[in-house]
Amino acid sequence: MYFSVILGNAYLSLFFAQSQLPKTLKLCMSAYQQAEKDPVAKCNPDLYYNRATAYKYQEEYQLSIMGFSRASLLDPTWSNPQEKKRQLIDYLLKVVTFIETKGKLKGKRLTSMLESLTESDLGPYAGGSYTGPRGNSVKLDKCSLIELQKETNPEKVVVGKVVCSFMSDDPVPFTLCMVDAMETCYSVTIYNMAEGCGPKIGDSLAIPEPFVQEVEVQYNDQAFSYKSIRVDSPVVLAINGKKLGLKKQAPSVLAVNTKSE
């Protein structure tokens, strides 16, 4: 009866155990969708709580909030869903605030940081191409953040300055805000980042072939709208002109909830 729920939970745990790959979350979601067709399983608050957690790591925050709300409705005595929803709302508010204020940096400091950006900050991605993992040459053109399209941006690279970084109640993902030479500010979410190894304020950051997500969330009288770049592995990044090594990568561990068992 609960096989699909168990399978979904297994994939959610696997997401953290094996490099936090988006394709694992898709398998997780498929299992949860099957579980929801079961008349008994669909009344299980665990299903909606764990699926809401998966939605959060897919950065589908609207669906995540709805899932936590559904789990709370099915079991009003269970405090976890409401707490996770509160944490997510707080996270979104923090991201929007830092984007709107460009990390709350003073104008002179921000101007000084951006004026220090040079071609060398692209590191291995400078010069219009880079050598791929198979030794092949890949074309790569520098562009501004505002020129990026939604989702994939092949053969493009962006560079800017980190204006803030912060950890939420959940250590995954590592979140920062970067500003490019045009003074456009995007959030950047980095998965599999080893603890204490994230970029710092003032660091230059180059991201090849960025994956852009448009976040739109409405909750009660609050609205959150911003653009974010998702980075599934820190090893693709260049910080201060140097590409990160494997030592900067370290997946986290998650225990899924099985309250109803």
Side-chain angles (χ1 to χ4, degrees), residues 40-61:
V40 176
K42 72 177 183 180
C43 295
N44 179 0
D46 291 345
L47 167 62
Y48 297 96
Y49 179 87
N50 290 329
R51 188 169 67 175
T53 301
Y55 275 133
K56 184 176 71 170
Y57 296 121
Q58 280 191 320
E59 301 188 15
E60 296 187 50
Y61 300 124

Side-chain angles (χ1 to χ4, degrees), residues 6 8 11 16 34 39 51 66 86 91 119 155 157 166 172 186 192 204 214 217 226 252 260-261:
I6 294 171
Y11 279 128
F16 283 85
Q34 284 297 115
R51 188 169 67 175
M66 291 170 63
R86 181 197 64 78
Y91 170 81
E119 185 74 8
E155 300 183 353
V157 61
F166 56 91
V172 177
Y186 275 22
N192 297 292
S204 62
E214 297 179 355
V217 176
Y226 63 91
S252 303
S260 61
E261 291 185 356

Side-chain angles (χ1 to χ4, degrees), residues 99-127:
I99 289 176
E100 290 178 347
T101 62
K102 295 182 174 64
K104 298 184 179 182
L105 291 184
K106 293 183 178 179
K108 288 185 178 180
R109 185 182 180 191
L110 178 61
T111 299
S112 177
M113 286 168 54
L114 296 179
E115 287 177 346
S116 71
L117 280 171
T118 66
E119 185 74 8
S120 64
D121 288 311
L122 289 168
Y125 306 123

Side-chain angles (χ1 to χ4, degrees), residues 121 193 197-199 203-206 237-244:
D121 288 311
M193 176 66 76
C197 294
D203 283 348
S204 62
L205 179 66
L237 302 174
I239 298 179
N240 299 324
K242 295 181 179 179
K243 199 165 181 287
L244 295 186

Side-chain angles (χ1 to χ4, degrees), residues 206-225:
I207 308 174
E209 302 189 326
F211 185 89
V212 176
Q213 300 193 129
E214 297 179 355
V215 177
E216 297 284 347
V217 176
Q218 182 74 43
Y219 176 69
N220 293 337
D221 60 344
Q222 295 176 288
F224 307 97
S225 178

